mmCIF file of all heavy atoms in Angstrom:
data_model
loop_
_atom_site.group_PDB
_atom_site.id
_atom_site.type_symbol
_atom_site.label_atom_id
_atom_site.label_comp_id
_atom_site.label_asym_id
_atom_site.label_seq_id
_atom_site.Cartn_x
_atom_site.Cartn_y
_atom_site.Cartn_z
ATOM 1 N N LEU A 363 3.842 7.218 -2.798
ATOM 2 C CA LEU A 363 5.245 7.396 -2.595
ATOM 3 C C LEU A 363 5.900 7.925 -3.922
ATOM 4 O O LEU A 363 6.671 8.846 -3.887
ATOM 5 C CB LEU A 363 6.008 6.154 -2.129
ATOM 6 C CG LEU A 363 5.791 5.770 -0.648
ATOM 7 C CD1 LEU A 363 6.395 4.360 -0.388
ATOM 8 C CD2 LEU A 363 6.443 6.810 0.229
ATOM 9 N N GLN A 364 5.500 7.296 -5.040
ATOM 10 C CA GLN A 364 6.031 7.731 -6.351
ATOM 11 C C GLN A 364 5.537 9.124 -6.647
ATOM 12 O O GLN A 364 6.249 9.961 -7.148
ATOM 13 C CB GLN A 364 5.568 6.744 -7.419
ATOM 14 C CG GLN A 364 6.288 5.439 -7.309
ATOM 15 C CD GLN A 364 5.709 4.438 -8.395
ATOM 16 O OE1 GLN A 364 4.864 4.755 -9.160
ATOM 17 N NE2 GLN A 364 6.290 3.245 -8.323
ATOM 18 N N ARG A 365 4.193 9.381 -6.361
ATOM 19 C CA ARG A 365 3.694 10.668 -6.714
ATOM 20 C C ARG A 365 4.358 11.803 -5.959
ATOM 21 O O ARG A 365 4.603 12.843 -6.472
ATOM 22 C CB ARG A 365 2.139 10.657 -6.402
ATOM 23 C CG ARG A 365 1.371 11.981 -6.291
ATOM 24 C CD ARG A 365 1.415 12.718 -7.615
ATOM 25 N NE ARG A 365 0.671 13.992 -7.510
ATOM 26 C CZ ARG A 365 1.163 15.091 -6.951
ATOM 27 N NH1 ARG A 365 2.382 15.141 -6.397
ATOM 28 N NH2 ARG A 365 0.400 16.226 -6.926
ATOM 29 N N LEU A 366 4.652 11.516 -4.648
ATOM 30 C CA LEU A 366 5.363 12.551 -3.824
ATOM 31 C C LEU A 366 6.867 12.458 -3.975
ATOM 32 O O LEU A 366 7.589 13.281 -3.359
ATOM 33 C CB LEU A 366 4.969 12.308 -2.364
ATOM 34 C CG LEU A 366 3.476 12.451 -2.039
ATOM 35 C CD1 LEU A 366 3.218 12.138 -0.555
ATOM 36 C CD2 LEU A 366 2.968 13.827 -2.429
ATOM 37 N N GLN A 367 7.307 11.557 -4.810
ATOM 38 C CA GLN A 367 8.790 11.279 -4.984
ATOM 39 C C GLN A 367 9.472 11.174 -3.620
ATOM 40 O O GLN A 367 10.488 11.833 -3.324
ATOM 41 C CB GLN A 367 9.345 12.430 -5.760
ATOM 42 C CG GLN A 367 8.790 12.601 -7.174
ATOM 43 C CD GLN A 367 9.332 13.736 -7.919
ATOM 44 O OE1 GLN A 367 10.443 14.171 -7.776
ATOM 45 N NE2 GLN A 367 8.523 14.329 -8.844
ATOM 46 N N GLN A 368 8.946 10.194 -2.857
ATOM 47 C CA GLN A 368 9.327 9.998 -1.500
ATOM 48 C C GLN A 368 9.747 8.505 -1.325
ATOM 49 O O GLN A 368 9.097 7.662 -1.865
ATOM 50 C CB GLN A 368 8.211 10.353 -0.560
ATOM 51 C CG GLN A 368 8.458 10.119 0.887
ATOM 52 C CD GLN A 368 7.294 10.561 1.754
ATOM 53 O OE1 GLN A 368 6.614 11.604 1.427
ATOM 54 N NE2 GLN A 368 7.000 9.854 2.760
ATOM 55 N N THR A 369 10.841 8.303 -0.661
ATOM 56 C CA THR A 369 11.229 6.917 -0.339
ATOM 57 C C THR A 369 10.975 6.503 1.067
ATOM 58 O O THR A 369 10.861 5.325 1.363
ATOM 59 C CB THR A 369 12.731 6.783 -0.711
ATOM 60 O OG1 THR A 369 13.502 7.677 0.124
ATOM 61 C CG2 THR A 369 13.007 6.976 -2.177
ATOM 62 N N LYS A 370 10.994 7.484 1.919
ATOM 63 C CA LYS A 370 10.752 7.171 3.384
ATOM 64 C C LYS A 370 9.263 6.765 3.609
ATOM 65 O O LYS A 370 8.351 7.478 3.122
ATOM 66 C CB LYS A 370 11.047 8.459 4.238
ATOM 67 C CG LYS A 370 10.966 8.230 5.673
ATOM 68 C CD LYS A 370 11.330 9.585 6.368
ATOM 69 C CE LYS A 370 11.010 9.479 7.858
ATOM 70 N NZ LYS A 370 11.010 10.747 8.530
ATOM 71 N N PRO A 371 9.054 5.711 4.369
ATOM 72 C CA PRO A 371 7.647 5.245 4.622
ATOM 73 C C PRO A 371 6.845 6.292 5.428
ATOM 74 O O PRO A 371 7.499 7.166 6.111
ATOM 75 C CB PRO A 371 7.788 3.982 5.326
ATOM 76 C CG PRO A 371 9.244 3.897 5.779
ATOM 77 C CD PRO A 371 10.055 4.861 4.981
ATOM 78 N N PHE A 372 5.558 6.197 5.365
ATOM 79 C CA PHE A 372 4.729 7.152 6.080
ATOM 80 C C PHE A 372 4.745 6.888 7.590
ATOM 81 O O PHE A 372 5.011 5.750 8.007
ATOM 82 C CB PHE A 372 3.353 7.045 5.548
ATOM 83 C CG PHE A 372 3.192 7.376 4.096
ATOM 84 C CD1 PHE A 372 3.058 6.337 3.167
ATOM 85 C CD2 PHE A 372 3.375 8.649 3.647
ATOM 86 C CE1 PHE A 372 2.978 6.668 1.828
ATOM 87 C CE2 PHE A 372 3.338 8.978 2.265
ATOM 88 C CZ PHE A 372 3.163 7.948 1.338
ATOM 89 N N GLU A 373 4.524 7.883 8.355
ATOM 90 C CA GLU A 373 4.519 7.761 9.871
ATOM 91 C C GLU A 373 3.510 6.756 10.348
ATOM 92 O O GLU A 373 3.727 6.060 11.284
ATOM 93 C CB GLU A 373 4.268 9.156 10.438
ATOM 94 C CG GLU A 373 5.328 10.179 10.283
ATOM 95 C CD GLU A 373 4.838 11.543 10.757
ATOM 96 O OE1 GLU A 373 3.873 11.633 11.524
ATOM 97 O OE2 GLU A 373 5.454 12.557 10.364
ATOM 98 N N SER A 374 2.348 6.760 9.675
ATOM 99 C CA SER A 374 1.232 5.935 10.137
ATOM 100 C C SER A 374 0.228 5.784 8.955
ATOM 101 O O SER A 374 0.330 6.474 7.971
ATOM 102 C CB SER A 374 0.537 6.550 11.341
ATOM 103 O OG SER A 374 -0.123 7.851 10.944
ATOM 104 N N ALA A 375 -0.697 4.931 9.159
ATOM 105 C CA ALA A 375 -1.753 4.730 8.239
ATOM 106 C C ALA A 375 -2.571 5.996 8.071
ATOM 107 O O ALA A 375 -3.005 6.343 6.974
ATOM 108 C CB ALA A 375 -2.621 3.534 8.572
ATOM 109 N N ALA A 376 -2.810 6.707 9.151
ATOM 110 C CA ALA A 376 -3.525 7.981 9.168
ATOM 111 C C ALA A 376 -2.801 9.046 8.314
ATOM 112 O O ALA A 376 -3.442 9.752 7.546
ATOM 113 C CB ALA A 376 -3.837 8.437 10.582
ATOM 114 N N HIS A 377 -1.482 9.042 8.491
ATOM 115 C CA HIS A 377 -0.651 10.022 7.677
ATOM 116 C C HIS A 377 -0.762 9.713 6.230
ATOM 117 O O HIS A 377 -0.988 10.576 5.389
ATOM 118 C CB HIS A 377 0.784 9.900 8.203
ATOM 119 C CG HIS A 377 1.705 10.883 7.532
ATOM 120 N ND1 HIS A 377 2.880 10.488 7.036
ATOM 121 C CD2 HIS A 377 1.597 12.217 7.217
ATOM 122 C CE1 HIS A 377 3.577 11.512 6.494
ATOM 123 N NE2 HIS A 377 2.766 12.581 6.586
ATOM 124 N N GLU A 378 -0.664 8.458 5.889
ATOM 125 C CA GLU A 378 -0.743 8.080 4.473
ATOM 126 C C GLU A 378 -2.122 8.340 3.907
ATOM 127 O O GLU A 378 -2.299 8.848 2.789
ATOM 128 C CB GLU A 378 -0.456 6.566 4.314
ATOM 129 C CG GLU A 378 -0.559 6.042 2.912
ATOM 130 C CD GLU A 378 -0.209 4.539 2.816
ATOM 131 O OE1 GLU A 378 0.224 3.901 3.818
ATOM 132 O OE2 GLU A 378 -0.528 4.028 1.702
ATOM 133 N N ALA A 379 -3.204 8.010 4.701
ATOM 134 C CA ALA A 379 -4.559 8.282 4.188
ATOM 135 C C ALA A 379 -4.815 9.795 4.004
ATOM 136 O O ALA A 379 -5.414 10.204 3.033
ATOM 137 C CB ALA A 379 -5.550 7.705 5.206
ATOM 138 N N MET A 380 -4.279 10.562 4.923
ATOM 139 C CA MET A 380 -4.472 12.042 4.831
ATOM 140 C C MET A 380 -3.823 12.580 3.619
ATOM 141 O O MET A 380 -4.462 13.350 2.856
ATOM 142 C CB MET A 380 -3.961 12.777 6.084
ATOM 143 C CG MET A 380 -4.129 14.264 6.072
ATOM 144 S SD MET A 380 -3.490 15.021 7.502
ATOM 145 C CE MET A 380 -1.669 14.833 7.226
ATOM 146 N N LEU A 381 -2.626 12.157 3.320
ATOM 147 C CA LEU A 381 -1.895 12.563 2.093
ATOM 148 C C LEU A 381 -2.639 12.086 0.856
ATOM 149 O O LEU A 381 -2.730 12.840 -0.119
ATOM 150 C CB LEU A 381 -0.440 12.120 2.189
ATOM 151 C CG LEU A 381 0.415 12.808 3.180
ATOM 152 C CD1 LEU A 381 1.832 12.171 3.215
ATOM 153 C CD2 LEU A 381 0.554 14.320 2.933
ATOM 154 N N ASN A 382 -3.120 10.814 0.919
ATOM 155 C CA ASN A 382 -3.829 10.373 -0.264
ATOM 156 C C ASN A 382 -5.121 11.197 -0.535
ATOM 157 O O ASN A 382 -5.426 11.475 -1.688
ATOM 158 C CB ASN A 382 -4.249 8.874 -0.057
ATOM 159 C CG ASN A 382 -3.298 7.937 -0.687
ATOM 160 O OD1 ASN A 382 -2.963 8.158 -1.891
ATOM 161 N ND2 ASN A 382 -2.815 6.909 -0.095
ATOM 162 N N LEU A 383 -5.838 11.523 0.567
ATOM 163 C CA LEU A 383 -6.985 12.425 0.331
ATOM 164 C C LEU A 383 -6.623 13.755 -0.249
ATOM 165 O O LEU A 383 -7.290 14.259 -1.109
ATOM 166 C CB LEU A 383 -7.716 12.592 1.705
ATOM 167 C CG LEU A 383 -8.569 11.426 2.183
ATOM 168 C CD1 LEU A 383 -8.995 11.611 3.612
ATOM 169 C CD2 LEU A 383 -9.728 11.224 1.270
ATOM 170 N N PHE A 384 -5.550 14.361 0.242
ATOM 171 C CA PHE A 384 -5.121 15.634 -0.294
ATOM 172 C C PHE A 384 -4.756 15.489 -1.803
ATOM 173 O O PHE A 384 -5.152 16.337 -2.648
ATOM 174 C CB PHE A 384 -3.866 16.164 0.459
ATOM 175 C CG PHE A 384 -4.143 16.643 1.824
ATOM 176 C CD1 PHE A 384 -3.035 16.634 2.754
ATOM 177 C CD2 PHE A 384 -5.348 17.036 2.263
ATOM 178 C CE1 PHE A 384 -3.310 17.136 4.036
ATOM 179 C CE2 PHE A 384 -5.625 17.496 3.529
ATOM 180 C CZ PHE A 384 -4.526 17.539 4.441
ATOM 181 N N VAL A 385 -4.027 14.490 -2.192
ATOM 182 C CA VAL A 385 -3.573 14.296 -3.586
ATOM 183 C C VAL A 385 -4.820 13.980 -4.452
ATOM 184 O O VAL A 385 -4.975 14.589 -5.502
ATOM 185 C CB VAL A 385 -2.560 13.152 -3.690
ATOM 186 C CG1 VAL A 385 -2.244 12.850 -5.154
ATOM 187 C CG2 VAL A 385 -1.218 13.625 -3.003
ATOM 188 N N ALA A 386 -5.721 13.124 -3.997
ATOM 189 C CA ALA A 386 -6.920 12.778 -4.747
ATOM 190 C C ALA A 386 -7.764 14.017 -4.891
ATOM 191 O O ALA A 386 -8.323 14.283 -5.953
ATOM 192 C CB ALA A 386 -7.688 11.639 -4.086
ATOM 193 N N SER A 387 -7.964 14.753 -3.839
ATOM 194 C CA SER A 387 -8.772 15.975 -3.865
ATOM 195 C C SER A 387 -8.224 17.003 -4.865
ATOM 196 O O SER A 387 -8.908 17.575 -5.637
ATOM 197 C CB SER A 387 -8.883 16.593 -2.482
ATOM 198 O OG SER A 387 -9.568 17.866 -2.512
ATOM 199 N N SER A 388 -6.909 17.230 -4.803
ATOM 200 C CA SER A 388 -6.216 18.099 -5.695
ATOM 201 C C SER A 388 -6.458 17.682 -7.183
ATOM 202 O O SER A 388 -6.729 18.507 -8.016
ATOM 203 C CB SER A 388 -4.775 18.217 -5.327
ATOM 204 O OG SER A 388 -4.129 18.991 -6.311
ATOM 205 N N TYR A 389 -6.249 16.390 -7.412
ATOM 206 C CA TYR A 389 -6.438 15.859 -8.707
ATOM 207 C C TYR A 389 -7.879 16.109 -9.304
ATOM 208 O O TYR A 389 -8.074 16.654 -10.409
ATOM 209 C CB TYR A 389 -6.132 14.348 -8.824
ATOM 210 C CG TYR A 389 -6.567 13.698 -10.075
ATOM 211 C CD1 TYR A 389 -5.677 13.830 -11.194
ATOM 212 C CD2 TYR A 389 -7.671 12.966 -10.142
ATOM 213 C CE1 TYR A 389 -6.068 13.208 -12.413
ATOM 214 C CE2 TYR A 389 -8.051 12.336 -11.305
ATOM 215 C CZ TYR A 389 -7.237 12.483 -12.462
ATOM 216 O OH TYR A 389 -7.596 11.851 -13.671
ATOM 217 N N LEU A 390 -8.924 15.815 -8.447
ATOM 218 C CA LEU A 390 -10.283 15.999 -8.902
ATOM 219 C C LEU A 390 -10.632 17.465 -9.054
ATOM 220 O O LEU A 390 -11.296 17.852 -9.956
ATOM 221 C CB LEU A 390 -11.257 15.331 -7.816
ATOM 222 C CG LEU A 390 -11.184 13.870 -7.741
ATOM 223 C CD1 LEU A 390 -12.033 13.331 -6.586
ATOM 224 C CD2 LEU A 390 -11.590 13.215 -9.098
#
Side-chain angles (χ1 to χ4, degrees):
L363 286 171
Q364 289 174 4
R365 164 64 178 78
L366 299 177
Q367 300 177 28
Q368 178 177 323
T369 55
K370 183 179 171 192
F372 301 104
E373 295 173 16
S374 64
H377 182 226
E378 180 180 351
M380 182 180 70
L381 291 174
N382 260 314
L383 284 170
F384 289 156
V385 171
S387 174
S388 176
Y389 170 78
L390 293 172

